[in-house]
């Protein structure tokens, strides 16, 4: 035939008729007849009437007449007045011959629900470009409502992402920029779902590690997408997104600053490179300033300070942080991005001021943040030498946690006298260090090493055992080199002869001196 007997729309209408006219038992019996191939001699007339015979084991066969245009007027010669198993079997046979699964007839109600649901989903997906981002999040919430969280939140994230991939199976008329924003909000949605689970179940190592991993992934994603952005055609989406993240920061409790981290990455890699960046910053500050101070979370205060700093309003940025009630409990990590910005913009005076003001927040057990903080000081005084006095004063205030930092700085700056004093204070004699550590001092000011060596030699001799005598001899040989470096061999000979005479009764020491070829 030139045209199909049934098209897809007609097939769906037929399913609607079957779902209404036949009960489940009749359809099940009809399906059994269909599988047993009891439908014979099926034919279709030009008037779209189907005639078929259905075999029965005991009573011969029944004649079935189906009207494709008016299914309700169909007939069967069996005693059942309408919608019998024979008619159901013929409908299934017809569908099978026309390429439609017979199982759809048997499960007509379920199939219609699935089709309705799919049609509704497609309709909703096609509306996504017209929605704002809050509409996107409502849709994502409904779309993933059947995905239940598990104890393993990493698995929960994987299930959410896998389910969200189904959206890509339907072509949505997004612009290129809208597609990027929609992809980003899917990630932001996953973050929100994770935070909800944390709030309900409490934070454990497994939940927090998953959360940190997902935050790291979105940071990376934001950086990767930055070259593709054009806010001249998507400024409204950007403002909607900033509003959404502001809301997330407002709900963020304590000093986690995770949503604040997303916010700052968004600004650095998406907004800052845009020619209209100053316009967006001004609008965003206005939005943040309308929020009541008493209801501001630490993240919102940090966001405001971050934007003030983009405008080189350093004092206002510090004030914005300080105005928050929980400012004193802020973690050291909060200040690193601010210090980094001041360094990158070469604002040396403000960098020193922030280093001095934030010092107390780093007065904790030595961490990576304390090392970074000290490194900023080192960089600052290169450009602002007069600030070195402040640096040493601050580092002394951070003792004992800054002890190693001070020690390293003194060594790097070749301040040998205070560095050696710190070694003595810690009980570190010359043998504690590799030879090459003391070589620069031998070259610059060997005289400073004399008391360091003499004190250590006296100490090892005083222990009066063979092992320590050997160590004393090693130090004596190195001390000999120091005197030669100073071109004071006579002074060495005077000291050594006195040393040997003074300890002449220590036979073991005398033997070690001979082994070390210091005595003939």
């Amino acid at each position: 035939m030139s045209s199909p007997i049934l098209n897809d729309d007609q097939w769906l209408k037929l399913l609607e008729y079957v779902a209404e006219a036949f009960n489940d038992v009749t359809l099940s019996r009809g399906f059994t007849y269909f599988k047993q191939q009891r439908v014979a001699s099926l034919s279709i007339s030009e008037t779209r009437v189907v005639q078929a015979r259905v075999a029965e084991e005991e009573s011969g066969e029944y004649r079935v007449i189906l009207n494709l245009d008016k299914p309700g007027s169909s007939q069967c010669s069996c005693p059942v007045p309408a919608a019998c198993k024979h008619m159901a079997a013929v409908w299934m046979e017809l569908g099978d011959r026309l390429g439609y699964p017979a199982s759809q007839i048997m499960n007509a109600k379920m199939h219609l629900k699935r089709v309705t649901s799919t049609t509704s989903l497609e309709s909703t997906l096609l509306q996504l470009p017209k929605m704002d981002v809050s509409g996107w999040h409502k849709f994502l919430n409904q779309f993933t409502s059947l995905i239940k969280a598990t104890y393993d939140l990493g698995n929960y994230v994987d299930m959410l992402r896998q389910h969200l991939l189904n959206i890509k199976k339907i072509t949505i008329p997004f612009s290129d920029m809208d597609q990027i924003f929609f992809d980003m909000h899917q990630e932001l949605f996953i973050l929100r779902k994770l935070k909800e689970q944390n709030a309900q179940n409490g934070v454990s190592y497994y939940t927090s590690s998953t959360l940190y991993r997902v935050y790291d992934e979105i940071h990376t994603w934001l950086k990767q997408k930055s070259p593709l952005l054009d806010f001249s055609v998507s400024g409204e989406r950007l403002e909607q997104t900033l509003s959404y993240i502001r809301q997330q920061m407002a709900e963020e409790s304590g000093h986690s600053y995770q949503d604040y981290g997303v916010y700052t990455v968004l600004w650095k890699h998406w907004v800052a490179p845009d020619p209209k960046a100053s316009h967006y910053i001004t609008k965003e500050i206005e939005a943040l300033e309308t929020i009541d101070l008493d209801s501001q979370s630490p993240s919102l205060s940090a966001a405001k300070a971050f934007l003030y700093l983009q405008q080189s309003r350093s004092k206002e940025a510090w004030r914005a942080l300080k105005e928050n009630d929980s400012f004193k409990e802020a973690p050291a990590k909060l200040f690193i991005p601010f210090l980094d910005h001041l360094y990158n913009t070469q604002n040396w005076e403000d960098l020193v001021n922030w280093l001095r003001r934030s010092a107390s927040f780093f007065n904790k057990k030595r961490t990576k943040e304390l090392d970074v903080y000290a490194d900023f000081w080192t960089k600052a005084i290169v450009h602002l030498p007069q600030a070195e006095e402040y640096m040493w004063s601050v580092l002394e205030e951070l003792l004992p946690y800054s002890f190693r930092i001070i020690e390293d700085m003194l060594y790097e700056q070749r301040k040998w006298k205070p560095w050696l004093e710190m070694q003595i204070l810690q009980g570190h004699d010359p043998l504690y260090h590799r030879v090459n550590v003391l070589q620069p001092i031998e070259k610059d000011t060997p005289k400073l090493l004399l008391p360091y060596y003499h004190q250590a030699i006296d100490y090892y001799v005083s222990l009066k055992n063979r092992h320590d005598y050997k160590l004393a001899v090693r130090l004596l040989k190195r001390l000999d080199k120091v005197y030669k470096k100073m071109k004071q061999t006579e002074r060495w000979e005077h000291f050594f002869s006195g040393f040997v005479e003074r300890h002449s009764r220590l036979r073991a020491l005398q033997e070690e001196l001979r082994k070390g070829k210091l005595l003939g």
Side-chain angles (χ1 to χ4, degrees), residues 362-459:
F362 294 88
N363 194 15
K364 298 168 185 175
K365 187 175 180 180
R366 185 175 179 181
T367 59
K368 179 178 68 176
E369 286 79 15
L370 181 54
D371 289 337
V372 173
Y373 172 80
D375 188 51
F376 277 120
W377 267 115
T378 303
K379 293 172 179 175
I381 63 173
V382 170
H383 301 277
L384 209 66
Q386 61 269 34
E388 184 172 359
E389 179 184 348
Y390 296 132
M391 179 187 76
W392 292 117
S393 176
V394 165
L395 291 177
E396 286 177 14
E397 291 174 8
L398 296 179
L399 287 169
Y401 306 119
S402 60
F403 199 100
R404 296 281 178 264
I405 292 171
I406 293 173
E407 182 180 10
D408 292 343
M409 282 188 175
L410 290 172
Y411 189 87
E412 289 170 8
Q413 297 180 22
R414 306 177 86 87
K415 296 180 184 292
W416 305 128
K417 188 174 186 297
W419 184 83
L420 285 168
E421 289 172 351
M422 290 190 75
Q423 305 315 303
I424 294 170
L425 181 64
Q426 296 175 84
H428 294 165
D429 63 54
L431 294 177
Y432 174 81
H433 309 284
R434 294 178 180 176
V435 175
N436 63 345
V437 172
L438 299 179
Q439 281 176 344
I441 308 176
E442 289 181 11
K443 181 179 179 181
D444 291 351
T445 51
K447 184 179 179 180
L448 291 176
L449 288 172
L450 295 179
Y452 194 36
Y453 277 109
H454 281 290
Q455 180 177 316
I457 290 166
D458 289 342
Y459 169 73

Side-chain angles (χ1 to χ4, degrees), residues 126-340:
L126 294 175
Q127 295 300 313
L128 286 174
K130 300 177 183 178
M131 297 180 188
D132 59 16
V133 299
S134 64
W136 287 352
H137 282 268
K138 288 177 183 176
F139 161 75
L140 292 171
N141 212 43
Q142 293 172 351
F143 185 70
T144 61
S145 59
L146 296 179
I147 307 298
K148 302 303 180 185
T150 62
Y151 178 77
D152 182 352
L153 286 187
N155 186 45
Y156 178 50
V157 170
D158 292 340
M159 288 193 297
L160 285 172
R161 283 189 174 146
Q162 191 64 37
H163 190 63
L164 290 172
L165 285 176
N166 291 317
I167 296 174
K168 295 186 181 295
K169 295 178 181 178
I170 297 173
T171 302
I172 304 171
F174 274 133
S175 66
D176 291 342
M177 285 302 303
D178 264 5
Q179 185 64 62
I180 291 174
F181 273 98
F182 184 69
D183 290 344
M184 176 177 70
H185 278 276
Q186 289 183 68
E187 293 301 310
L188 293 176
F189 169 76
I190 291 172
L191 288 175
R192 181 166 62 81
K193 299 298 284 185
L194 278 178
K195 288 189 294 181
E196 288 173 359
Q197 291 305 309
N198 274 354
Q200 291 175 15
N201 304 324
V203 179
S204 68
Y205 167 77
Y206 297 102
T207 58
S208 62
S209 63
T210 300
L211 196 57
Y212 283 120
R213 175 175 62 82
V214 174
Y215 271 108
D216 287 342
E217 288 169 353
I218 194 169
H219 286 188
T220 302
W221 187 89
L222 288 169
K223 293 173 186 177
Q224 290 173 343
K225 295 296 180 181
S226 59
L228 305 175
L229 302 173
D230 180 5
F231 294 135
S232 64
V233 294
S234 60
E236 187 176 356
R237 286 290 186 216
L238 174 63
E239 292 179 13
Q240 293 171 5
T241 299
L242 291 171
S243 176
Y244 172 83
I245 302 177
R246 271 202 310 274
Q247 182 60 38
Q248 296 303 301
M249 289 192 294
E251 297 172 3
E252 198 168 41
S253 60
H255 291 279
S256 63
Y257 298 104
Q258 290 170 325
D259 289 300
Y260 166 72
V262 173
Y263 184 81
T264 55
V265 171
L266 185 71
W267 276 101
K268 286 180 182 177
H269 297 280
W270 285 37
V271 187
D274 190 88
K276 292 178 65 179
S278 59
H279 163 74
Y280 290 119
I281 290 175
T282 301
K283 287 195 70 173
E284 186 67 9
I285 287 176
E286 289 174 357
L288 288 167
E289 286 178 338
T290 60
I291 301 173
D292 185 9
L293 270 175
D294 294 335
S295 61
Q296 279 195 15
S297 68
S299 282
L300 282 177
S301 298
K304 192 192 298 184
F306 172 82
L307 293 177
Y308 281 145
L309 213 56
Q310 307 306 303
Q311 295 183 325
S312 300
R313 297 160 66 182
S314 178
K315 292 181 180 177
E316 289 168 274
W318 183 265
R319 191 181 305 122
L321 289 176
K322 194 174 180 180
E323 284 175 347
N324 191 275
D325 291 339
S326 61
F327 174 64
K328 291 181 179 179
E329 288 80 45
K333 67 178 181 180
L334 171 65
F335 299 91
I336 300 297
F338 294 99
L339 300 174
D340 190 53

